[in-house]
């Protein structure tokens, strides 16, 4: 069987980018069971309620929903079990130090296969206030309108 190359996205947490100000991102490996990998290969997972907790110098991923494998037997996994993240000791140290600050948390952003291995992109984030969320949406909308105006001008110049 040929080895997989590149990055295949499984799940994304778009809500995290809306609710949090992303400070720093990290890529981590995941410790998974066989049925979890098979379920992920079918492209099914949800990161919406997920978070990372650091205990005893180890990183654990909580509340990420990986549905049970449809052809699994009694060896099937539980859908919302906690999963260990594989990070370097220095990265865990940085995350522990920064996550102790008020308002900081660690959230999953994306779950994907990279060269055949399951990886997760996690971010050190700070919660946004309601007015920050509105400001971000306003900026995004203004950017979109400006791009539309520029493209309309370019279309008129070509014609």
């Amino acid at each position: 069987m040929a080895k997989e190359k590149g990055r295949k996205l499984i799940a994304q947490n778009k809500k995290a980018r809306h609710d949090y100000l992303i400070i720093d991102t990290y890529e981590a490996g995941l410790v998974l069971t066989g049925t979890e990998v098979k379920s992920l290969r079918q492209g099914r997972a949800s990161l919406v309620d997920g978070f990372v907790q650091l205990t005893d110098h180890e990183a654990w991923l909580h509340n990420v929903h990986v549905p049970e494998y449809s052809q699994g037997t009694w060896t099937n996994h539980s859908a919302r079990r906690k999963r260990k993240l594989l990070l370097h000791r220095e990265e865990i140290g940085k995350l522990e130090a920064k996550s102790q600050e008020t308002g900081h948390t660690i959230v999953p952003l994306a779950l994907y296969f990279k060269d055949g291995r399951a990886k997760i992109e996690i971010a050190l984030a700070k919660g946004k206030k309601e007015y920050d969320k509105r400001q971000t949406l306003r900026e995004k909308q203004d950017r979109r309108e400006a791009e539309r105006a520029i493209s309309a001008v370019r279309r008129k110049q070509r014609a």
Side-chain angles (χ1 to χ4, degrees), residues 34-159:
T35 55
E36 286 176 321
V37 174
K38 289 180 178 188
S39 183
L40 289 176
R41 290 219 183 269
Q42 291 178 340
R44 302 177 346 179
S46 174
L47 301 174
V48 173
D49 295 330
F51 65 95
V52 176
Q53 191 174 34
L54 301 168
T55 52
D56 299 329
H57 305 294
E58 291 181 337
W60 293 90
L61 183 66
H62 293 269
N63 277 359
V64 170
H65 186 263
V66 178
E68 290 186 354
Y69 182 56
S70 55
Q71 280 86 41
T73 58
W74 58 273
T75 59
N76 228 336
H77 63 279
S78 63
R80 287 201 183 268
R81 75 176 188 92
K82 69 178 189 175
R83 296 164 180 90
K84 187 174 181 179
L85 296 180
L86 304 173
L87 288 162
H88 292 281
R89 187 175 293 132
E90 302 85 40
E91 291 175 331
I92 292 175
K94 285 179 191 176
L95 284 171
E96 278 181 334
K98 293 201 176 170
S99 67
Q100 297 300 322
E101 296 176 20
T102 309
H104 287 77
T105 186
I106 306 166
V107 292
L109 295 178
L111 183 61
Y112 53 91
F113 281 106
K114 182 178 178 183
D115 298 333
R117 299 191 187 275
K119 303 281 185 182
I120 189 159
E121 184 180 19
I122 60 174
L124 179 68
K126 185 171 181 160
K128 284 185 184 178
K129 302 276 190 257
E130 194 62 38
Y131 58 84
D132 289 334
K133 293 177 191 178
R134 284 194 297 266
Q135 180 66 28
T136 305
L137 285 173
R138 200 173 301 120
E139 289 171 0
K140 188 177 178 181
Q141 189 176 14
D142 291 344
R143 220 176 301 120
R144 194 176 301 138
E145 287 174 5
E147 287 172 4
R148 283 186 188 141
I150 290 170
S151 64
V153 168
R154 287 184 182 154
R155 266 186 260 125
K156 286 181 182 178
Q157 287 176 348
R158 278 189 241 143

